[in-house]
């Protein structure tokens, strides 16, 4: 089969403790857009799976925190969840299952260190979650995700991480009629070195702009700039 030339799926399955019924789902989860583009129509990238995996991860972590901390208010639960599903945390989880070794990358991405790039590994980690969810259901996805959740998440949040999006939301919520929206305004560069530009808007007015190698990073930087301009971010 084609994939045997590129990646040992069986070995990866031993790392994630899950055996796929549909190997094509796993192949898609491991296929970066740079690889899919080179293969044209013979291979889908993992971007759609990443979209789904992000939601599955969020619901599993939310449920875990909801039961783990019955007295913690919504705002604190939101901050805690954000620290557990941020790119920095997912990068660490991806390294635990040696995900970088099994990625299918385009030549340019391969030659520029894509296997170690935080944004690529975080996105692929979410795509693998979606693949497990589609192949084995929510229980299988939940078992997989909970392997990475520390016993006491409050003590284990990534050091130095600040969730600027949640911080900005808390500031804006003081005025209930206000609405915050993140808009992707530009995406440039080759597959192996993309730059995303995101604007954060308050009632359609731009209040901050961020540029990052992933949409999530750009959104965080846009929120950080908005907080700074509003005088809330002094750290």
């Amino acid at each position: 089969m084609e994939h045997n030339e590129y990646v040992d799926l069986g070995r990866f399955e031993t790392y994630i403790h899950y055996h796929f019924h549909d190997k094509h789902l796993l192949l898609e989860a491991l296929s970066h857009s740079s690889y899919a583009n080179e293969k044209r129509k013979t291979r889908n990238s993992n971007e759609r799976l990443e979209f789904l995996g992000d939601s599955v991860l969020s619901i599993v972590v939310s449920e875990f925190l909801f039961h783990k901390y019955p007295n913690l208010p919504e705002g604190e639960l939101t901050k805690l969840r954000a620290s557990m599903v941020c790119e920095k945390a997912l990068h660490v989880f991806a390294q635990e299952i040696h995900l970088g070794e099994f990625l299918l990358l385009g030549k340019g991405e391969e030659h520029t260190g894509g296997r170690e790039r935080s944004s690529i590994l975080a996105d692929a980690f979410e795509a693998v979650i979606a693949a497990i969810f589609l192949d084995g259901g929510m229980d299988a996805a939940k078992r997989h995700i909970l392997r990475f959740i520390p016993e006491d998440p409050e003590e284990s949040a990534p050091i130095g991480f600040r969730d600027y999006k949640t911080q900005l939301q808390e500031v804006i919520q003081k005025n209930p009629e206000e609405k915050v929206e993140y808009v992707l305004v530009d995406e440039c560069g080759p597959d192996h070195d993309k730059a995303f530009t995101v604007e954060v808007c308050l009632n359609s007015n731009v209040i901050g702009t961020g540029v990052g190698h992933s949409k999530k990073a750009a959104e965080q930087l846009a929120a950080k700039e908005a907080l700074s301009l509003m005088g809330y971010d002094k750290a």
Side-chain angles (χ1 to χ4, degrees):
M1 291 177 66
E2 177 198 1
H3 63 259
N4 288 338
E5 300 170 24
Y6 300 100
V7 60
D8 185 346
L9 295 181
R11 190 157 66 92
F12 182 65
E13 287 175 323
T14 65
Y15 286 136
I16 63 174
H17 304 306
Y18 181 80
H19 180 77
F20 276 84
H21 302 288
D22 183 355
K23 305 292 186 189
H24 293 289
L25 275 171
L26 179 54
L27 273 176
E28 187 172 323
L30 297 172
S31 297
H32 185 256
S33 58
S34 61
Y35 179 82
N37 290 341
E38 285 185 5
K39 294 295 180 183
R40 304 290 177 173
K41 293 183 178 179
T42 65
R43 176 64 52 80
N44 294 324
S45 81
N46 61 10
E47 291 176 343
R48 280 172 52 83
L49 285 175
E50 176 211 336
F51 162 78
L52 177 59
D54 180 73
S55 295
V56 175
L57 174 64
S58 183
I59 189 67
V60 170
V61 172
S62 297
E63 183 191 19
F64 171 82
L65 293 174
F66 182 83
H67 293 297
K68 174 78 172 176
Y69 302 109
N71 299 314
L72 211 57
E74 180 268 342
E76 293 303 311
L77 289 171
T78 299
K79 287 180 185 176
L80 202 47
R81 180 183 62 195
S83 73
M84 295 166 69
V85 302
C86 70
E87 183 179 300
K88 186 173 181 179
L90 299 187
H91 180 210
V92 172
F93 299 158
Q95 289 176 314
E96 290 180 23
I97 55 173
H98 308 276
L99 184 52
E101 294 177 30
F102 301 93
L103 291 176
L104 293 163
L105 302 172
K107 293 185 178 66
E109 195 66 68
E110 183 75 71
H111 294 150
T112 54
R115 290 188 187 281
E116 288 81 42
R117 187 163 293 121
S118 176
S119 59
I120 290 178
L121 286 170
D123 290 348
F125 185 83
E126 290 181 328
V128 169
I129 288 172
I132 293 173
F133 170 73
L134 292 172
D135 190 71
M138 180 58 92
D139 285 346
K142 185 174 179 178
R143 280 194 300 273
H144 174 70
I145 292 166
L146 291 179
R147 288 178 52 215
F148 302 93
I149 304 303
E151 292 254 343
D152 190 350
E154 283 193 297
E155 301 299 320
S156 308
I159 296 169
F161 172 76
R162 291 189 62 186
D163 182 14
Y164 296 106
K165 286 181 67 177
T166 297
Q167 195 175 337
L168 178 62
Q169 189 65 38
E170 289 175 348
V171 170
I172 302 303
Q173 279 175 347
K174 294 172 184 175
N175 300 298
E177 70 280 1
E178 309 283 3
K179 182 186 175 187
V180 174
E181 185 178 13
Y182 292 86
V183 181
L184 179 66
V185 294
D186 190 35
E187 181 179 333
C188 62
D191 284 330
H192 65 272
D193 192 25
K194 275 209 184 303
F196 299 90
T197 303
V198 168
E199 290 179 345
V200 56
C201 302
L202 179 61
N203 301 329
S204 301
N205 297 313
V206 178
I207 58 172
T209 304
V211 180
H213 286 298
S214 70
K215 293 172 191 172
K216 289 179 182 177
E219 288 174 355
Q220 287 287 350
L221 291 171
K224 181 180 181 182
E225 180 177 276
L227 285 164
S228 181
L229 293 172
M230 296 164 71
Y232 283 94
D233 184 30
K234 302 300 184 185

